[in-house]
Amino acid sequence: MAEDQITLWGHGSGRAMRVHWMLQELGLDYEVKPIRSRTGETLTDDYTALNPKQKIPTLQHGDFVLTESPAIIAYLADAFDPPAGFYAPRDAVGRAKVNEWCVFVAMELDAHSLYLVRRHEGLPEIYGAAPLAVASAKEYYLKQLNAVSGQVASAGTYLFGDAFSIADILLMTVLDWGRNVNIELPGALADYQRRVGERPAYQKAFALNYTDRGIADVR
Ligand SMILES: N[C@@H](CCC(=O)N[C@@H](CS)C(=O)NCC(=O)O)C(=O)O
């Protein structure tokens, strides 16, 4: 299974970036199908059979198909041997703590905050403009970030100290997204964002995922 072909469907979005980045951290070879959201490319019969949600990203690993970016990177952390310095605990308590941060980032910072801003400020023609909801979501995002600042300040370099994990991948992609909608970060998190942005795997993934945009446009 580990040596089966890996294919990543998705390009140009923060959620696809998470999967590119994890594959780069693991040093894996993979094929990219560079389809994008809202181009019609996710609506074809063939793609809908893979991902009925008609969204990106989707991962194929041999015959195994998986959607949802947090689930995909968690699967990759389980299915492959983590490189030195990558925290991918195999015990229940360790996994639960990583999962706790992953769910927090995916729910509180992504789904309940920035995705709301994206839909109701960035895509009003599809989802409707809702300025009050957008302002409230931005405020909520900043409030929730306090929990993250505290963890980074006490843990050290990454969310779990010196070892990098999938929770950092999720967090960084959300911080980049927040920066992209002009939400300035508190100092400790701005430093974290700079530090994480120096990882070679992040930079390789960024260049692959955002081929038509410079790094400065998103970070
Ligand atoms: N919860 C999903 C969200 C996937 C998602 O919303 N992808 C966006 C691009 S970032 C998409 O494909 N949107 C297309 C659409 O809504 O039509 C994940 O994390 O993978």
Side-chain angles (χ1 to χ4, degrees):
M1 179 83 186
E3 58 289 340
D4 284 346
Q5 163 76 32
I6 298 171
T7 304
L8 166 57
W9 296 78
H11 181 79
S13 85
R15 273 75 169 255
M17 169 70 189
R18 295 166 179 169
V19 184
H20 278 287
W21 185 0
M22 184 64 189
L23 290 164
Q24 294 296 330
E25 291 284 347
L26 293 169
L28 296 170
D29 289 328
Y30 58 102
E31 182 188 358
V32 181
K33 303 277 192 189
I35 62 169
R36 290 174 178 263
S37 49
R38 291 177 302 281
T39 56
E41 292 167 312
T42 60
L43 307 181
T44 64
D45 290 345
D46 284 352
Y47 189 70
T48 304
L50 279 180
N51 185 343
K53 292 165 250 178
Q54 299 182 318
K55 290 190 166 210
I56 54 168
T58 297
L59 182 87
Q60 286 181 285
H61 182 201
D63 293 335
F64 180 57
V65 178
L66 194 63
T67 65
E68 300 299 322
S69 56
I72 295 171
I73 62 175
Y75 166 73
L76 291 169
D78 279 344
F80 295 91
D81 289 333
F86 196 102
Y87 182 57
R90 277 19 188 172
D91 65 296
V93 169
R95 286 164 66 115
K97 292 308 285 182
V98 173
N99 201 24
E100 181 181 35
W101 280 108
C102 289
V103 172
F104 173 79
V105 175
M107 290 298 297
E108 305 305 324
L109 304 182
D110 179 325
H112 289 171
S113 301
L114 295 181
Y115 198 31
L116 208 151
V117 174
R118 174 72 181 139
R119 280 181 291 148
H120 297 296
E121 184 176 69
L123 299 167
E125 66 286 4
I126 303 175
Y127 296 104
L132 191 60
V134 167
S136 161
K138 287 182 179 176
E139 197 182 314
Y140 182 76
Y141 172 75
L142 283 170
K143 181 163 179 252
Q144 295 302 311
L145 278 184
N146 290 333
V148 182
S149 308
Q151 175 68 13
V152 169
S154 66
T157 316
Y158 303 118
L159 281 169
F160 290 94
D162 290 338
F164 184 77
S165 74
I166 56 171
D168 292 293
I169 290 183
L170 290 178
L171 177 57
M172 178 68 170
T173 54
V174 161
L175 297 182
D176 282 351
W177 184 2
R179 171 84 63 87
N180 215 23
V181 291
N182 301 319
I183 303 179
E184 278 312 312
L185 293 174
L189 285 180
D191 290 346
Y192 169 89
Q193 193 180 34
R194 254 191 306 280
R195 229 172 16 249
V196 176
E198 284 164 8
R199 290 183 74 82
Y202 170 87
Q203 293 179 1
K204 277 190 211 153
F206 202 102
L208 277 170
N209 185 55
Y210 298 115
T211 43
D212 55 354
R213 286 194 286 178
I215 200 159
D217 292 336
V218 174
R219 292 189 55 215

